[in-house]
Amino acid sequence: MTRIDTRFAQLKDEGRKAFVAYIMAGDPNVESSLELMKGLPEAGVDVIELGVPFTDPMADGPTIQEAGQRALAGKMTLDKTLQMVRDFRAGDAETPIVLMGYYNPIYSRGVKRFLSEATEAGIDGLIVVDLPPEEDDELCIPAQEAGLNFIRLATPTTDDKRLPKVLENTSGFVYYVSITGITGAAAAQATDVGPEVARIKSQTDLPVIVGFGIRTPESAKEIAGIADGCVVGSAIVGEMASGARTEDVLAFVKSLADGAHSA
């Protein structure tokens, strides 16, 4: 079992919903993003989703795109991202970390080398949005053989014919994208999300976590109430971009986590 599997088993036993927080590695700099990352567990975050900055983030909206550009301008790299994880792990051996990014940097590094370094650093799972299930032999299967969860996204356009293929080699949890489009594009609506979550859960025993379009404690509670938890990314990244102090960003994160946990 990975840390992700363990965490979701604990949450199930406690009857609680999960709160997942996304941040961009190196935004606005390594020191600030590491300080924020270290504060997330105490703020109530159950799983950390750590973005790897990339030059062509096709699934991300302007807020996260700009965060990636700031990180790249500050010379953030995959090496430095993995070092961030090592530095975090020096003080936290339990909080699950999911690395979210795109395949190009992994391919350029070499899959075998990347997986070895990722597991050594303390990564627990991967979300690689530009590798479809048809390419599972490329990274998904090797990642799971290396002991990492490979988390797949399902979307409003994932119909009943496509869903079994999406779920086939997914592990850890299923990430349901609540809206059609890029991150931060619109608000998630529980009335739309609920039936889709139920449809996915009818075909898998994995937790279903909903992301995209969640910006407030109220919406975190609403969405977590009809799923196994929720993910917030753009709203947190936007707080960082506003120049807010780390402690103020963490207070905002705690309000979101409290909302999800009250579902």
Side-chain angles (χ1 to χ4, degrees):
M1 288 181 67
T2 66
R3 291 184 186 92
I4 297 169
D5 299 325
T6 299
R7 179 56 52 90
F8 278 106
Q10 291 170 342
L11 289 166
K12 185 177 181 179
D13 287 344
E14 295 166 5
R16 293 198 305 128
K17 301 303 179 76
F19 181 69
V20 182
Y22 171 98
I23 63 170
M24 176 66 73
D27 176 42
N29 53 60
V30 175
E31 295 76 16
S32 296
S33 58
L34 179 58
E35 181 185 9
L36 178 64
M37 186 179 182
K38 287 180 175 179
L40 292 176
E42 190 174 345
V45 173
D46 298 300
V47 179
I48 296 171
E49 188 181 339
L50 185 64
V52 180
F54 181 54
T55 53
D56 186 23
M58 63 182 185
D60 295 317
T63 299
I64 292 179
Q65 284 188 24
E66 289 164 7
Q69 290 302 315
R70 288 192 296 271
L72 291 170
K75 309 298 183 185
M76 195 61 182
T77 63
L78 181 55
D79 273 331
K80 291 179 181 178
T81 301
L82 293 173
Q83 187 57 48
M84 259 187 75
V85 176
R86 294 185 190 98
D87 293 341
F88 176 86
R89 285 284 176 233
D92 187 321
E94 294 184 1
T95 304
I97 299 173
V98 175
L99 210 61
M100 186 278 181
Y102 298 83
Y103 187 48
N104 185 279
I106 297 171
Y107 176 80
S108 298
R109 194 175 205 82
V111 167
K112 186 175 180 180
R113 178 186 171 191
F114 167 76
L115 291 176
S116 175
E117 292 175 346
T119 52
E120 175 271 327
I123 297 296
D124 304 294
L126 303 174
I127 297 175
V128 182
V129 297
D130 54 348
L131 271 182
E134 286 74 16
E135 305 296 332
D136 275 357
D137 289 341
E138 193 82 17
L139 179 62
C140 174
I141 302 301
Q144 302 208 79
E145 289 174 348
L148 297 173
N149 289 129
F150 199 88
I151 295 145
R152 190 82 70 190
L153 277 63
T155 75
T157 59
T158 306
D159 60 20
D160 288 337
K161 183 178 179 180
R162 180 66 174 168
L163 184 58
K165 187 67 176 177
V166 169
L167 297 174
E168 185 176 6
N169 291 314
T170 299
S171 64
F173 61 91
V174 179
Y175 188 136
Y176 179 68
V177 177
S178 65
I179 58 173
T180 302
I182 54 178
T183 58
Q189 301 295 328
T191 51
D192 297 329
V193 173
E196 292 299 298
V197 170
R199 182 169 67 94
I200 296 167
K201 288 180 75 67
S202 72
Q203 297 196 39
T204 181
D205 293 329
L206 291 171
V208 179
I209 308 301
V210 177
F212 287 43
I214 302 167
R215 301 188 183 94
T216 66
E218 293 75 20
S219 60
K221 178 179 180 179
E222 184 179 27
I223 296 299
I226 48 89
D228 295 301
C230 67
V231 185
V232 177
S234 294
I236 297 170
V237 172
E239 288 294 308
M240 288 293 288
S242 74
R245 298 176 304 168
T246 300
E247 54 263 44
D248 293 331
V249 179
L250 289 171
F252 174 62
V253 172
K254 185 177 186 305
S255 73
L256 295 166
D258 288 347
H261 290 149
S262 69

